[in-house]
Amino acid sequence: MSQSTGEQAFADGSLLPSEERRLKLRKWRSFRDGLSLYGVGTGGLGVIFALALIFIYLFYETFPLLKPVSVDLTYEYAVPGAADPEPTLHVVLDRFEQIGARFSKSGAITFFDATTGTERERLEIPTPEGAYITSFGRAESRRGLFAYGFSDGSVLPLTLNFTQSFVGGQRVIRPELSFPLGDEPIRIGEGQIEISDGEVIEYSALAVVEGRGGFVVAGATEDGDIAMAMFSTRRNLMTGDVQIQRQDYRLPSLERPVRQLLVNQSLRNLFAIDDRGRLFSFDIVDRNNPFLIEEVDLTGPDAQVTAAEFLVGMRSLIVGGSDGSVRQWFLVRDEETGRSELTFIREFREHPGAITFIAPEYLRKGFLVGDETGKVGLHYATSGATLSQKPVFDTPVTRLAMGPNNARALVISEADGLVRVLDIDNPHPQTTLSALWGRVWYEGRAQPEFIWQSSSADDAFEAKFSLVPLSVGTLKAALFAMLLATPLAIMGAIYTAYFMAPAIRRVVKPSIELMEALPTVILGFLAGIWLAPYVENNLPILITGVILFPLAILVAAFAWSRLPQAVKSLVPPGWEAALLVPVVIFTGWVVITSSPWIEVAFFDGSMRQWFTDVGIPYDQRNALIVGMAMGFAVIPTIFSIAEDAVFSVPKHLTNGSLALGATLWQTVTGVVLLTASPGIFSAIMIGFGRAVGETMIVLMASGNSPIVNFNLFEGMRTLAANIAVELPETAVGSTHFRVLFLSALVLLVFTFLLNTAAELVRQRL
């Protein structure tokens, strides 16, 4: 036995470290094991912590959508203009919600501090000598357009604007009255309404609106007669004089007292409500021949209409009844007759008393409602939600004024002689659960639908935030991508791992994995610019390709099986797939060159037009193109994981199967696939998660149309693509902004649940 430093020699010639050396090695190994254990654990916890932070941040941005509406009673003061005992006709607030304006039946307009009620200024409208005010009409709130009707039958339209200036660094707001048709009252009934000698026209209802053609003024009497005229103005550039042109409408008489007139901004319809609460809808497109379209009972036989008002955009009519009901109506086009008919859409929570006044919001589809019990309700039309009902007075609410910023409202009770101020916090009224995930009947639509349309050039646009089209589009894109990628990737992985020769496998596997490094923006660009037009112009290749490629491969395989063994032995085992390359190339050439002939023979020269003729919509950028491009991007992910899973099956299992007499194919189906099934399942789920979160390919190749169907030849819009398109352009903190973050949260939760379920299944397998 010999001995050297730190080592001991044994009879078999082996060397063993000394006790001290072995102790050091054990300590070092223990340190490395602990470092690996806690390092990997810390990394895993870090990943979980990062995901939790992402979830918390998305929820933080989304949480304001869940915040309940608050309506608080803050200030109270006497009705401004105490020296004016006449009733209040209307109340408005300026854009900063600091100054209020009270329109009195005496013709005075009193401007006051909206917080304290302190009177600031008082203006008088020009009234004809010996006449008094008998009626009052207004356009939608954001226009600031009003009209007074006088006892001599004349009408005076006017506009109220609040101008701002800065004096000494302080904002100064001053009201300004202007008269778009001149400060002299006009007459609209002469020649249209039959009157006796010495009789004057006294209007019981007025309506004024500024439309595309000019200003329209309409008036109705207690006898049911309706007069209407359009005034257009033109300014002479040389002299500065304003010329007014007039066009009169001749409407049939209702022969009943008219209580309210409403004209929509498109100047296509006039609605007249009589003393029974019935609405008469007139078509006024042809000014020489207006005609009655329909007569509608708005509240039913047991109630009467006590208030009616257009929402912003003048498409929806909110009707309040004597029974406390609040209903929404708007015009819906009848497909059979081609006419638009007033249709009941939805009903809001009932008030305890008759509705006395309705005040719509300036830029949204919300509105305030006051009733005779003194309660004020805040409603939102798109979501159909009643957001708040709050008692403000013990006496009837006379007038309401909603601020342009939807943050303040004035409530007046003439019986108490008081104004009470409501502070409103209502930033996201349209994002209820039913509005985001249910069918909603939007203005101008024939029925309730799932729609995503977040913006428009029209200020009165009704934002549509249904997440259903985006969620369906996400599943649609992922589904078609997986239908292409899964069979190709899984079967390719099985063949590569088990049947292919090692030499060729070392080339094929890295080549396919290298496909994953190709930027998806390049794939999306090629799919949208080249692939989509090519497929549209050669649609028969979809049919011939699906039929001929599998058939050609089967024929080639059958022919190979019938060749003599001497010929087959010339090809080394595992290289048989190389023989399919020329078969695939030749079949591809046949598929492409036969496309024009097939179109002529079976589809009258255009398969694209044939689809249209049989009622199948076809968009150039559609789910098929997305499936092909995104499937190409997903194949490397599924292939790589599945191939590793198959290749890692222990050799003793396969060798044992072969030793027992099983063929290679029987071994694959009975042993390899069962053993590798968890890895294959994981590959499919990871590929599906990749498809769900893909952005650029869908963005560039899908057409980005948010529709709800699984038609292979129509496009879609996914959650990820929608976020990428709209988030850079939305206002921070807006409802649109937060709904986009909600979309991201939905996508995160969806992928998290999917991956969790996949892991549970994998462990079970």
Side-chain angles (χ1 to χ4, degrees):
M1 177 180 286
S2 62
Q3 185 172 353
S4 61
T5 306
E7 297 178 346
Q8 294 178 357
F10 292 86
D12 59 359
S14 62
L15 297 177
L16 182 67
S18 65
E19 184 68 26
E20 181 181 357
R21 178 67 173 171
R22 292 198 301 270
L23 182 60
K24 289 182 179 180
L25 289 175
R26 283 196 296 268
K27 290 182 178 180
W28 175 243
R29 187 181 302 114
S30 176
F31 173 76
R32 287 186 300 176
D33 290 345
L35 182 64
S36 300
L37 175 63
Y38 292 107
V40 173
T42 302
L45 291 175
V47 172
I48 296 174
F49 182 69
L51 289 174
L53 286 180
I54 294 173
F55 180 85
I56 291 171
Y57 175 70
L58 292 177
F59 186 76
Y60 170 77
E61 293 290 354
T62 306
F63 180 74
L65 297 178
L66 307 176
K67 184 180 178 182
V69 175
S70 66
V71 180
D72 299 320
L73 190 60
T74 54
Y75 305 104
E76 176 186 304
Y77 44 82
V79 175
D84 184 359
E86 294 293 330
T88 302
L89 297 176
H90 193 55
V91 183
V92 298
L93 282 165
D94 78 299
R95 57 175 295 195
F96 299 104
E97 301 179 347
Q98 297 177 358
I99 297 177
R102 172 181 175 254
F103 293 74
S104 169
K105 196 171 182 180
S106 65
I109 304 177
T110 304
F111 300 93
F112 57 94
D113 187 297
T115 301
T116 64
T118 304
E119 185 174 333
R120 290 192 171 191
E121 192 173 351
R122 181 184 175 93
L123 298 176
E124 297 281 348
I125 65 167
T127 304
E129 186 175 355
Y132 54 88
I133 296 172
T134 58
S135 55
F136 179 81
R138 65 185 188 276
E140 60 177 356
S141 302
R142 61 187 178 135
R143 301 293 180 183
L145 178 62
F146 310 93
Y148 285 89
F150 301 105
S151 57
D152 63 351
S154 61
V155 178
L156 179 64
L158 60 89
T159 58
L160 171 63
N161 295 306
F162 291 92
T163 61
Q164 66 169 327
S165 59
F166 291 88
V167 178
Q170 298 292 323
R171 180 189 291 116
V172 177
I173 302 173
R174 292 192 60 84
E176 288 186 355
L177 292 181
S178 59
F179 302 91
L181 303 181
D183 57 2
E184 292 294 329
I186 58 177
R187 298 183 181 274
I188 59 172
E190 295 179 348
Q192 300 180 57
I193 299 177
E194 296 183 4
I195 56 176
S196 305
D197 293 338
E199 184 182 358
V200 297
I201 304 171
E202 187 172 308
Y203 295 113
S204 58
L206 274 182
V208 60
V209 62
E210 183 180 3
R212 295 184 181 90
F215 294 89
V216 169
V217 183
T221 67
E222 290 287 342
D223 296 329
D225 297 321
I226 302 174
M228 184 173 176
M230 175 186 288
F231 300 87
S232 57
T233 60
R234 180 179 299 175
R235 182 178 295 275
N236 191 313
L237 296 178
M238 303 297 294
T239 64
D241 295 336
V242 176
Q243 299 176 344
I244 300 176
Q245 297 179 340
R246 172 175 177 159
Q247 296 177 333
D248 290 310
Y249 293 75
R250 297 183 177 275
L251 281 81
S253 175
L254 300 184
E255 298 181 354
R256 294 195 63 86
V258 178
R259 293 290 176 257
Q260 190 169 0
L261 287 179
L262 299 156
V263 181
N264 56 21
Q265 193 173 345
S266 63
L267 305 184
R268 301 182 64 87
N269 301 90
L270 178 142
F271 303 128
I273 301 176
D274 66 8
D275 59 336
R276 301 169 301 173
R278 298 187 66 83
L279 180 141
F280 297 82
S281 175
F282 292 90
D283 185 311
I284 57 173
V285 175
D286 184 359
R287 69 178 183 87
N288 295 316
N289 186 33
F291 60 91
L292 180 65
I293 301 175
E294 59 179 336
E295 181 181 347
V296 182
D297 185 1
L298 297 175
T299 57
D302 299 329
Q304 291 186 341
V305 176
T306 54
E309 190 63 46
F310 277 127
L311 291 182
V312 60
M314 308 185 79
R315 299 183 183 96
S316 287
L317 184 65
I318 301 298
V319 179
S322 58
D323 57 352
S325 61
V326 181
R327 300 178 179 180
Q328 181 184 7
W329 299 69
F330 57 68
L331 293 171
V332 175
R333 183 179 177 84
D334 190 323
E335 296 296 335
E336 295 182 359
T337 63
R339 289 183 178 178
S340 295
E341 299 179 351
L342 200 64
T343 304
F344 170 69
I345 304 302
R346 58 180 63 94
E347 187 168 9
F348 303 87
R349 188 192 304 170
E350 190 173 283
H351 281 243
I355 305 303
T356 56
F357 198 81
I358 299 172
E361 294 184 358
Y362 279 61
L363 297 174
R364 301 188 309 194
K365 302 299 179 178
F367 57 96
L368 280 174
V369 173
D371 63 33
E372 66 178 5
T373 67
K375 184 171 287 188
V376 174
L378 178 60
H379 309 270
Y380 199 83
T382 303
S383 59
T386 297
L387 305 172
S388 173
Q389 279 191 356
K390 187 178 186 68
V392 179
F393 287 104
D394 295 327
T395 54
V397 173
T398 309
R399 291 291 182 268
L400 290 167
M402 191 71 174
N405 298 323
N406 310 313
R408 172 172 284 188
L410 304 181
V411 186
I412 296 180
S413 172
E414 295 281 3
D416 290 345
L418 294 175
V419 177
R420 287 179 176 164
V421 182
L422 299 178
D423 281 350
I424 302 173
D425 184 14
N426 181 29
H428 312 293
Q430 61 269 60
T431 53
T432 61
L433 192 63
S434 60
L436 291 172
W437 296 104
R439 295 182 185 273
V440 178
W441 201 337
Y442 297 102
E443 292 178 347
R445 301 284 176 167
Q447 60 188 0
E449 296 177 273
F450 299 114
I451 302 176
W452 174 275
Q453 188 181 0
S454 58
S455 61
S456 171
D458 187 0
D459 289 338
F461 169 73
E462 182 180 21
K464 305 168 182 65
F465 290 133
S466 175
L467 294 180
V468 172
L470 306 181
S471 301
V472 170
T474 301
L475 295 176
K476 180 179 177 180
L479 173 63
F480 288 122
M482 294 300 291
L483 286 177
L484 174 69
T486 301
L488 293 179
I490 297 300
M491 290 188 289
I494 294 172
Y495 183 84
T496 303
Y498 195 74
F499 295 99
M500 188 174 285
I504 192 172
R505 177 181 180 271
R506 287 193 293 268
V507 176
V508 170
K509 188 174 188 295
S511 299
I512 295 178
E513 290 176 345
L514 191 62
M515 290 166 48
E516 197 166 9
L518 190 64
T520 56
V521 66
I522 301 298
L523 294 177
F525 176 79
L526 292 175
I529 300 300
W530 171 75
L531 182 61
Y534 182 81
V535 171
E536 183 184 27
N537 295 328
N538 299 274
L539 280 174
I541 65 176
L542 301 177
I543 300 175
T544 55
V546 170
I547 296 174
L548 292 183
F549 276 111
L551 184 62
I553 293 173
L554 290 175
V555 170
F558 179 77
W560 172 258
S561 68
R562 290 295 182 265
L563 290 176
Q565 185 61 38
V567 176
K568 292 193 288 185
S569 63
L570 297 176
V571 180
W575 285 83
E576 295 86 355
L579 299 177
L580 287 176
V581 174
V583 174
V584 171
I585 293 176
F586 175 75
T587 306
W589 176 81
V590 171
V591 168
I592 293 173
T593 54
S594 64
S595 175
W597 302 95
I598 293 175
E599 276 196 305
V600 172
F602 298 100
F603 301 104
D604 296 329
S606 174
M607 191 173 177
R608 170 73 172 81
Q609 185 60 44
W610 182 84
F611 273 132
T612 303
D613 294 340
V614 299
I616 301 176
Y618 184 92
D619 300 329
Q620 184 185 85
R621 301 184 181 186
N622 51 43
L624 174 66
I625 303 301
V626 172
M628 295 170 69
M630 197 154 68
F632 182 84
V634 172
I635 282 175
T637 301
I638 302 176
F639 172 87
S640 180
I641 300 173
E643 202 274 346
D644 288 338
V646 174
F647 191 77
S648 299
V649 174
K651 294 298 181 183
H652 65 271
L653 294 179
T654 57
N655 291 337
S657 174
L658 295 172
L660 291 173
T663 64
L664 286 174
W665 184 249
Q666 289 172 332
T667 301
V668 168
T669 56
V671 176
V672 174
L673 289 182
L674 293 178
T675 307
S677 59
I680 295 175
F681 183 79
S682 296
I684 295 173
M685 288 298 99
I686 292 174
F688 188 74
R690 165 81 187 277
V692 166
E694 178 55 47
T695 302
M696 294 310 300
I697 293 176
V698 182
L699 187 64
M700 304 178 76
S702 68
N704 276 316
S705 50
I707 54 180
V708 183
N709 63 43
F710 281 87
N711 183 3
L712 183 64
F713 302 116
E714 287 189 89
M716 80 291 287
R717 177 178 290 194
T718 66
L719 289 164
N722 187 67
I723 294 169
V725 169
E726 299 192 2
L727 189 60
E729 300 180 0
T730 187
V732 176
S734 65
T735 300
H736 183 201
F737 176 84
R738 302 202 183 280
V739 171
L740 291 178
F741 271 89
L742 177 61
S743 303
L745 183 61
V746 169
L747 188 61
L748 177 65
V749 171
F750 177 75
T751 53
F752 177 78
L753 294 177
L754 181 68
N755 291 334
T756 302
E759 180 62 19
L760 293 176
V761 174
R762 189 194 68 81
Q763 291 180 358
R764 182 67 176 174
L765 290 173

